[in-house]
Amino acid sequence: MSHPASPAVTAAANPHGDLPARPARASAGRALNGRVRVPGDKSVSHRALIFGTLAVGETAISGLLEGEDVLNTAKACAALGARVERIGDGEWRVQGVGVGGLRTPAAALDFGNSGTGARLMMGMVAGNPITATFDGDASLRRRPMRRILDPLAQMGVETLDSAEGGRLPITLRGPKDLVPIAYKSPVASAQIKSAVLLAGLGAPGETSVTEAEASRDHTERMLTHFGAEVRVEPYGAHGRTVTVKGRPELKPAPIRVPADPSSAAFPLVAALIVPGSEVVIEGVMTNPLRTGLFLTLKEMGADITLANERVEGGESVADLHVKASCLRGVDVPAERAPSMIDEYPVLAVAASFAEGTTRMRGLSELRVKESDRLAAVAAGLAAAGVDHRIEGDDLIVEGRGTVTGGGRVVTHMDHRIAMSFLVMGIASDKPMEIDDISFVATSFPAFVPLMRGLGADIATVG
Ligand code: S3P
C-alpha cells in the first residue's frame, strides 16, 4: 500500500494478525560508532495526516514515519474520505476534506497497536454526523478508552457500542451539533487533550482543555500552523489551558517531520552504556515537552552535547553528540513524567548501568501503555539480574555499573519494551533475549539495521 507503484492508501488491515512471534537476541560486542538519523517523530506524523485530512486542499508532508502505527492512521484518514498518497521515501500528500467533511467509513477503522491513532481520530470524527467503528490489536483492545469517551459524551457524541469497560471495538456516532466544552483533564495526556481539541474544531464557539502538567504540544502547534485560532495560557505551577475556536477553515500547510526523540533514545542510551562508544544522532526534535530523558541523563552524568541547533518545520531540532559515560543514579521528579513518558523503559536500562539508586516517581500512566510497562520493565530487570522494586507508582533501580544479563524478556506486544532490553543486551555481561521483535515495526522499522550499522550485535533467533 505505501508504495510508489500503488500510490493511494485505501484498505485497513491489522499488520500483525496471527503472525508467529520472532525472538531476537542482543550481545555485547565492540564500541558503537557513527552518525545516524532515526525515523520521523511518531506524534507529529499522526497529526500531519490528521490535519492534512481536516484541511481544505493538499498538504505536503516530508519525513513521515512509515511505521505501522502511522500507516494505520493513513489508512483510516483515507477511509474517512481523504486522498492519501505516498510519493516517495517519507514524502506524502494528503488531499483534505475540511472540518466536518468526513464520510462514513465502509468498514471498521483498524488502528493496530496505536493508542494515539485511535484516540486522536475519535476526537476527529466527533464533529461529523457519521458513525464509525474503532478497533485495534489485542494490546490496544486492553487499553482504557473511557478517558476519551467521557469528554466526547459531554460534547454530545454517542457511544453506540463498546467492549466491556469502554474498550475497543467502539462504535461512535457524531451529533448534528457538537457542544463546545471546557474540559479539565484528570491526567496529563496529550492524547486526551488532542482528542478534545480535534473534536472542538467541529463545535461552534470555544473548546478548552486544562491539564495540571503540560503534555506534548504538537496538536496546538499544528492547529496554529493550519490557521486555527488557538490560545495557550499557564495553569498552576506546571499546567496549561489550551483553547481552540471551532469551525475554522483549515488551510493546508507543508509539514517537515523532525526525527523522533523517543526513537533517538535507544541509540542514545546504547552509546552511553557501551564503553568507548561515540555516536551522533542527527536532526532530533528538542521540543522541551519531549526532552525529559535528555535532561535526566545529563543529571546522571551523560556526555550529550547538542550541536547545530536550529528550527525545522516549526520545531527545534539538534544533532546529539553522545559519548559513553559513567552514569550515577538520580531522583526523577513526577512532574517530569509527561515530557519523557515513553522513555522510562530505556531510562530503567540506563539506570541499571549507573552507579547507585535511581528513583523514577509518578509512573501510574506506564500501566496503560502498549503494555503495563511498569510490570514489563520490572520483569525484564528481574530477568537480567538487576535489583529493583516498585513502591506505589515509583520504580526504583539499584544500579551497580554493570548488568549480568542472560535473561529472556516477554515484550507483551510492546515495541519500547523490545528495543529497551535489546539495548540492555548489547552492554550486559551475558546476552539478553526478547520473545518477539515484530512490534518494533510500529515505530522504528529500521531499528535493527540502524543499530547494527553502529556496531551492535543484534540478531533474530530461532
Ligand atoms: C502521544 C502521547 C503520549 C505518548 C504516546 C504518543 C501523542 O500518550 O505515550 O506514545 O502523540 O499524543 P499520553 O499523552 O496519553 O500520555
Side-chain angles (χ1 to χ4, degrees), residues 258-305:
D260 194 330
S262 300
S263 295
F266 301 105
L268 167 60
V269 169
L272 291 173
I273 62 177
V274 177
S277 298
E278 208 168 328
V279 166
V280 178
I281 312 170
E282 293 173 355
V284 179
M285 180 161 61
T286 53
N287 178 323
L289 292 167
R290 296 289 300 279
T291 49
L293 176 74
F294 304 164
L295 176 64
T296 304
L297 289 171
K298 283 190 175 184
E299 289 173 357
M300 295 173 83
D303 187 342
I304 304 172
T305 328

CSV table of all heavy atoms in Angstrom, one decimal, residues 258-305:
chain,number,residue,atom,x,y,z
A,258,PRO,N,10.3,16.2,12.1
A,258,PRO,CA,11.7,16.0,12.7
A,258,PRO,C,11.9,14.6,13.2
A,258,PRO,O,10.9,13.9,13.4
A,258,PRO,CB,11.7,17.1,13.8
A,258,PRO,CG,10.3,17.3,14.2
A,258,PRO,CD,9.4,16.9,13.0
A,259,ALA,N,13.2,14.3,13.4
A,259,ALA,CA,13.5,12.9,13.9
A,259,ALA,C,12.9,12.8,15.4
A,259,ALA,O,12.9,13.7,16.2
A,259,ALA,CB,15.0,12.7,13.9
A,260,ASP,N,12.5,11.6,15.7
A,260,ASP,CA,11.7,11.3,16.9
A,260,ASP,C,12.6,11.2,18.1
A,260,ASP,O,13.5,10.2,18.2
A,260,ASP,CB,10.9,10.0,16.7
A,260,ASP,CG,9.9,9.8,17.7
A,260,ASP,OD1,10.1,10.2,18.9
A,260,ASP,OD2,8.9,9.1,17.4
A,261,PRO,N,12.5,12.0,19.1
A,261,PRO,CA,13.4,11.9,20.3
A,261,PRO,C,13.1,10.6,21.0
A,261,PRO,O,14.0,10.1,21.7
A,261,PRO,CB,13.0,13.1,21.2
A,261,PRO,CG,11.7,13.6,20.6
A,261,PRO,CD,11.6,13.2,19.2
A,262,SER,N,11.9,10.1,20.9
A,262,SER,CA,11.6,8.8,21.6
A,262,SER,C,12.3,7.6,20.9
A,262,SER,O,12.6,6.6,21.6
A,262,SER,CB,10.1,8.6,21.7
A,262,SER,OG,9.5,9.6,22.4
A,263,SER,N,12.5,7.7,19.6
A,263,SER,CA,13.3,6.7,19.0
A,263,SER,C,14.8,6.9,19.1
A,263,SER,O,15.6,6.0,19.3
A,263,SER,CB,13.0,6.6,17.5
A,263,SER,OG,11.6,6.3,17.3
A,264,ALA,N,15.2,8.2,19.1
A,264,ALA,CA,16.6,8.5,19.4
A,264,ALA,C,17.1,8.0,20.7
A,264,ALA,O,18.3,7.7,20.9
A,264,ALA,CB,16.8,10.0,19.3
A,265,ALA,N,16.2,7.8,21.6
A,265,ALA,CA,16.5,7.4,23.0
A,265,ALA,C,17.3,6.0,23.0
A,265,ALA,O,18.1,5.8,23.8
A,265,ALA,CB,15.2,7.2,23.8
A,266,PHE,N,17.0,5.2,22.0
A,266,PHE,CA,17.6,3.8,22.0
A,266,PHE,C,19.1,3.9,21.6
A,266,PHE,O,19.9,3.4,22.4
A,266,PHE,CB,16.7,2.9,21.2
A,266,PHE,CG,15.3,2.8,21.7
A,266,PHE,CD1,14.3,3.4,21.1
A,266,PHE,CD2,15.1,2.1,22.9
A,266,PHE,CE1,13.0,3.3,21.6
A,266,PHE,CE2,13.8,2.0,23.5
A,266,PHE,CZ,12.8,2.6,22.8
A,267,PRO,N,19.4,4.4,20.4
A,267,PRO,CA,20.9,4.5,20.2
A,267,PRO,C,21.6,5.4,21.2
A,267,PRO,O,22.8,5.2,21.5
A,267,PRO,CB,20.9,5.1,18.7
A,267,PRO,CG,19.6,5.6,18.4
A,267,PRO,CD,18.6,4.8,19.3
A,268,LEU,N,20.9,6.4,21.7
A,268,LEU,CA,21.5,7.3,22.7
A,268,LEU,C,21.9,6.6,23.9
A,268,LEU,O,23.1,6.6,24.4
A,268,LEU,CB,20.4,8.4,23.0
A,268,LEU,CG,20.7,9.4,24.2
A,268,LEU,CD1,22.0,10.1,24.1
A,268,LEU,CD2,19.5,10.3,24.4
A,269,VAL,N,21.0,5.8,24.5
A,269,VAL,CA,21.3,5.1,25.8
A,269,VAL,C,22.3,4.0,25.4
A,269,VAL,O,23.3,3.8,26.2
A,269,VAL,CB,20.0,4.5,26.4
A,269,VAL,CG1,20.4,3.5,27.5
A,269,VAL,CG2,19.2,5.7,27.0
A,270,ALA,N,22.2,3.4,24.3
A,270,ALA,CA,23.2,2.4,23.9
A,270,ALA,C,24.6,2.9,23.9
A,270,ALA,O,25.5,2.3,24.4
A,270,ALA,CB,22.8,1.8,22.5
A,271,ALA,N,24.7,4.1,23.2
A,271,ALA,CA,26.0,4.8,23.1
A,271,ALA,C,26.6,5.1,24.5
A,271,ALA,O,27.8,5.0,24.8
A,271,ALA,CB,26.0,6.0,22.3
A,272,LEU,N,25.7,5.5,25.4
A,272,LEU,CA,26.2,5.8,26.8
A,272,LEU,C,26.7,4.6,27.6
A,272,LEU,O,27.6,4.8,28.3
A,272,LEU,CB,25.0,6.5,27.6
A,272,LEU,CG,24.6,7.9,27.1
A,272,LEU,CD1,23.3,8.3,27.9
A,272,LEU,CD2,25.7,8.9,27.3
A,273,ILE,N,26.1,3.5,27.4
A,273,ILE,CA,26.4,2.3,28.2
A,273,ILE,C,27.4,1.3,27.6
A,273,ILE,O,27.9,0.4,28.3
A,273,ILE,CB,25.1,1.6,28.7
A,273,ILE,CG1,24.3,1.0,27.5
A,273,ILE,CG2,24.2,2.5,29.5
A,273,ILE,CD1,23.1,0.2,27.9
A,274,VAL,N,27.7,1.5,26.3
A,274,VAL,CA,28.7,0.6,25.7
A,274,VAL,C,30.0,1.3,25.7
A,274,VAL,O,30.2,2.3,25.1
A,274,VAL,CB,28.3,0.2,24.3
A,274,VAL,CG1,29.4,-0.7,23.7
A,274,VAL,CG2,27.0,-0.6,24.2
A,275,PRO,N,31.0,0.8,26.5
A,275,PRO,CA,32.3,1.6,26.7
A,275,PRO,C,32.9,1.9,25.4
A,275,PRO,O,32.9,1.1,24.4
A,275,PRO,CB,33.1,0.6,27.5
A,275,PRO,CG,32.1,-0.3,28.2
A,275,PRO,CD,31.0,-0.4,27.3
A,276,GLY,N,33.5,3.1,25.3
A,276,GLY,CA,34.2,3.5,24.1
A,276,GLY,C,33.4,4.1,23.0
A,276,GLY,O,33.9,4.4,21.9
A,277,SER,N,32.1,4.1,23.1
A,277,SER,CA,31.2,4.5,22.0
A,277,SER,C,31.2,6.0,21.8
A,277,SER,O,31.4,6.8,22.7
A,277,SER,CB,29.7,4.1,22.3
A,277,SER,OG,29.6,2.7,22.4
A,278,GLU,N,31.0,6.4,20.5
A,278,GLU,CA,30.8,7.8,20.2
A,278,GLU,C,29.9,7.8,19.0
A,278,GLU,O,30.2,7.3,17.9
A,278,GLU,CB,32.2,8.3,19.8
A,278,GLU,CG,32.3,9.8,20.1
A,278,GLU,CD,33.7,10.4,20.0
A,278,GLU,OE1,34.7,9.7,20.3
A,278,GLU,OE2,33.7,11.5,19.6
A,279,VAL,N,28.7,8.4,19.2
A,279,VAL,CA,27.6,8.4,18.2
A,279,VAL,C,27.0,9.8,18.0
A,279,VAL,O,26.9,10.5,19.0
A,279,VAL,CB,26.5,7.4,18.6
A,279,VAL,CG1,25.3,7.5,17.8
A,279,VAL,CG2,27.1,5.9,18.6
A,280,VAL,N,26.7,10.1,16.8
A,280,VAL,CA,25.9,11.4,16.5
A,280,VAL,C,24.6,11.0,16.0
A,280,VAL,O,24.4,10.1,15.1
A,280,VAL,CB,26.7,12.2,15.5
A,280,VAL,CG1,25.8,13.5,15.2
A,280,VAL,CG2,28.1,12.6,16.0
A,281,ILE,N,23.5,11.6,16.6
A,281,ILE,CA,22.1,11.3,16.1
A,281,ILE,C,21.6,12.6,15.5
A,281,ILE,O,21.5,13.6,16.3
A,281,ILE,CB,21.2,10.8,17.2
A,281,ILE,CG1,22.0,9.7,18.0
A,281,ILE,CG2,19.9,10.3,16.7
A,281,ILE,CD1,21.3,9.2,19.3
A,282,GLU,N,21.3,12.7,14.3
A,282,GLU,CA,21.1,13.9,13.6
A,282,GLU,C,19.6,14.4,13.6
A,282,GLU,O,18.7,13.6,13.6
A,282,GLU,CB,21.4,13.7,12.1
A,282,GLU,CG,22.9,13.5,11.8
A,282,GLU,CD,23.2,13.2,10.4
A,282,GLU,OE1,22.2,13.0,9.6
A,282,GLU,OE2,24.4,13.1,10.0
A,283,GLY,N,19.4,15.7,13.7
A,283,GLY,CA,18.1,16.3,13.5
A,283,GLY,C,17.0,15.9,14.4
A,283,GLY,O,15.9,15.8,14.1
A,284,VAL,N,17.4,15.6,15.7
A,284,VAL,CA,16.4,15.2,16.7
A,284,VAL,C,15.6,16.3,17.2
A,284,VAL,O,16.1,17.4,17.6
A,284,VAL,CB,17.1,14.5,17.9
A,284,VAL,CG1,16.1,14.0,18.9
A,284,VAL,CG2,18.0,13.3,17.3
A,285,MET,N,14.3,16.1,17.3
A,285,MET,CA,13.4,17.2,17.8
A,285,MET,C,13.8,17.5,19.3
A,285,MET,O,13.9,16.5,20.1
A,285,MET,CB,12.0,16.8,17.8
A,285,MET,CG,11.0,17.8,18.3
A,285,MET,SD,9.3,17.6,17.7
A,285,MET,CE,8.9,16.0,18.4
A,286,THR,N,13.9,18.7,19.7
A,286,THR,CA,14.3,19.1,21.0
A,286,THR,C,13.2,20.0,21.7
A,286,THR,O,13.5,20.8,22.6
A,286,THR,CB,15.6,19.9,21.1
A,286,THR,OG1,15.6,21.0,20.1
A,286,THR,CG2,16.8,18.9,20.7
A,287,ASN,N,12.0,19.8,21.2
A,287,ASN,CA,10.8,20.4,21.9
A,287,ASN,C,10.9,20.1,23.4
A,287,ASN,O,11.0,19.0,23.8
A,287,ASN,CB,9.5,19.8,21.3
A,287,ASN,CG,8.2,20.3,21.9
A,287,ASN,OD1,8.2,20.6,23.1
A,287,ASN,ND2,7.2,20.5,21.1
A,288,PRO,N,10.9,21.2,24.2
A,288,PRO,CA,11.1,21.0,25.7
A,288,PRO,C,10.1,20.0,26.3
A,288,PRO,O,10.3,19.5,27.4
A,288,PRO,CB,11.1,22.4,26.3
A,288,PRO,CG,10.7,23.3,25.2
A,288,PRO,CD,10.8,22.6,23.9
A,289,LEU,N,8.9,19.9,25.7
A,289,LEU,CA,7.9,19.0,26.3
A,289,LEU,C,8.2,17.5,25.9
A,289,LEU,O,7.4,16.6,26.2
A,289,LEU,CB,6.5,19.4,25.8
A,289,LEU,CG,6.1,20.7,26.5
A,289,LEU,CD1,4.8,21.3,25.8
A,289,LEU,CD2,5.8,20.6,28.0
A,290,ARG,N,9.3,17.3,25.2
A,290,ARG,CA,9.7,15.9,24.9
A,290,ARG,C,11.1,15.5,25.4
A,290,ARG,O,11.5,14.4,25.1
A,290,ARG,CB,9.7,15.8,23.3
A,290,ARG,CG,8.3,16.0,22.7
A,290,ARG,CD,7.4,14.8,23.0
A,290,ARG,NE,7.9,13.6,22.4
A,290,ARG,CZ,7.8,13.2,21.2
A,290,ARG,NH1,7.2,13.9,20.3
A,290,ARG,NH2,8.3,12.0,20.8
A,291,THR,N,11.8,16.4,26.0
A,291,THR,CA,13.2,16.1,26.3
A,291,THR,C,13.6,15.8,27.7
A,291,THR,O,14.7,16.0,28.2
A,291,THR,CB,14.1,17.3,25.8
A,291,THR,OG1,13.5,18.5,26.3
A,291,THR,CG2,14.1,17.4,24.3
A,292,GLY,N,12.6,15.3,28.5
A,292,GLY,CA,12.8,14.9,29.9
A,292,GLY,C,13.9,13.9,30.0
A,292,GLY,O,14.7,13.9,30.9
A,293,LEU,N,14.0,13.0,29.0
A,293,LEU,CA,15.1,12.0,29.1
A,293,LEU,C,16.5,12.6,29.0
A,293,LEU,O,17.4,12.2,29.7
A,293,LEU,CB,14.9,10.9,28.0
A,293,LEU,CG,16.0,9.9,28.0
A,293,LEU,CD1,15.9,8.9,29.2
A,293,LEU,CD2,16.1,9.1,26.7
A,294,PHE,N,16.6,13.5,28.0
A,294,PHE,CA,17.9,14.1,27.8
A,294,PHE,C,18.4,14.8,29.1
A,294,PHE,O,19.5,14.7,29.5
A,294,PHE,CB,17.9,15.1,26.7
A,294,PHE,CG,17.5,14.6,25.3
A,294,PHE,CD1,17.1,15.4,24.3
A,294,PHE,CD2,17.4,13.2,25.1
A,294,PHE,CE1,16.6,14.9,23.1
A,294,PHE,CE2,16.9,12.7,23.9
A,294,PHE,CZ,16.5,13.5,22.9
A,295,LEU,N,17.5,15.5,29.7
A,295,LEU,CA,17.8,16.3,31.0
A,295,LEU,C,18.2,15.3,32.0
A,295,LEU,O,19.2,15.5,32.8
A,295,LEU,CB,16.5,17.0,31.4
A,295,LEU,CG,16.5,17.8,32.7
A,295,LEU,CD1,17.6,18.9,32.6
A,295,LEU,CD2,15.1,18.4,33.0
A,296,THR,N,17.4,14.2,32.2
A,296,THR,CA,17.6,13.2,33.2
A,296,THR,C,19.0,12.5,33.0
A,296,THR,O,19.8,12.4,34.0
A,296,THR,CB,16.5,12.2,33.2
A,296,THR,OG1,15.3,12.8,33.4
A,296,THR,CG2,16.7,11.2,34.4
A,297,LEU,N,19.3,12.2,31.8
A,297,LEU,CA,20.6,11.5,31.5
A,297,LEU,C,21.7,12.5,31.8
A,297,LEU,O,22.8,12.1,32.3
A,297,LEU,CB,20.6,11.0,30.1
A,297,LEU,CG,19.7,9.8,29.7
A,297,LEU,CD1,19.7,9.6,28.2
A,297,LEU,CD2,20.2,8.6,30.5
A,298,LYS,N,21.5,13.7,31.5
A,298,LYS,CA,22.6,14.7,31.8
A,298,LYS,C,22.8,14.8,33.3
A,298,LYS,O,24.0,14.9,33.8
A,298,LYS,CB,22.3,16.1,31.2
A,298,LYS,CG,22.5,16.1,29.7
A,298,LYS,CD,22.5,17.6,29.2
A,298,LYS,CE,22.8,17.6,27.8
A,298,LYS,NZ,22.9,19.0,27.3
A,299,GLU,N,21.7,14.8,34.0
A,299,GLU,CA,21.8,14.8,35.5
A,299,GLU,C,22.6,13.5,36.0
A,299,GLU,O,23.2,13.6,37.0
A,299,GLU,CB,20.5,14.9,36.2
A,299,GLU,CG,19.8,16.2,36.0
A,299,GLU,CD,18.3,16.2,36.5
A,299,GLU,OE1,17.8,15.1,36.9
A,299,GLU,OE2,17.7,17.3,36.4
A,300,MET,N,22.5,12.5,35.2
A,300,MET,CA,23.1,11.2,35.6
A,300,MET,C,24.6,11.2,35.2
A,300,MET,O,25.3,10.3,35.5
A,300,MET,CB,22.4,10.0,34.9
A,300,MET,CG,21.0,9.8,35.4
A,300,MET,SD,20.1,8.5,34.5
A,300,MET,CE,20.7,7.0,35.3
A,301,GLY,N,25.0,12.3,34.5
A,301,GLY,CA,26.4,12.4,34.2
A,301,GLY,C,26.7,12.1,32.7
A,301,GLY,O,27.9,11.9,32.3
A,302,ALA,N,25.7,12.0,31.9
A,302,ALA,CA,25.9,11.6,30.5
A,302,ALA,C,26.5,12.7,29.7
A,302,ALA,O,26.2,13.8,29.9
A,302,ALA,CB,24.5,11.3,29.9
A,303,ASP,N,27.4,12.2,28.8
A,303,ASP,CA,28.1,13.2,27.9
A,303,ASP,C,27.3,13.3,26.6
A,303,ASP,O,27.4,12.6,25.7
A,303,ASP,CB,29.5,12.7,27.6
A,303,ASP,CG,30.4,13.6,26.8
A,303,ASP,OD1,29.8,14.6,26.2
A,303,ASP,OD2,31.6,13.5,26.8
A,304,ILE,N,26.4,14.3,26.7
A,304,ILE,CA,25.5,14.5,25.5
A,304,ILE,C,25.6,16.0,25.2
A,304,ILE,O,25.4,16.9,26.0
A,304,ILE,CB,24.0,14.3,25.8
A,304,ILE,CG1,23.8,12.8,26.3
A,304,ILE,CG2,23.1,14.5,24.6
A,304,ILE,CD1,22.4,12.6,26.9
A,305,THR,N,26.0,16.3,23.9
A,305,THR,CA,26.1,17.7,23.5
A,305,THR,C,25.1,18.0,22.4
A,305,THR,O,25.0,17.1,21.5
A,305,THR,CB,27.5,18.1,23.0
A,305,THR,OG1,28.4,17.3,23.7
A,305,THR,CG2,27.8,19.5,23.2
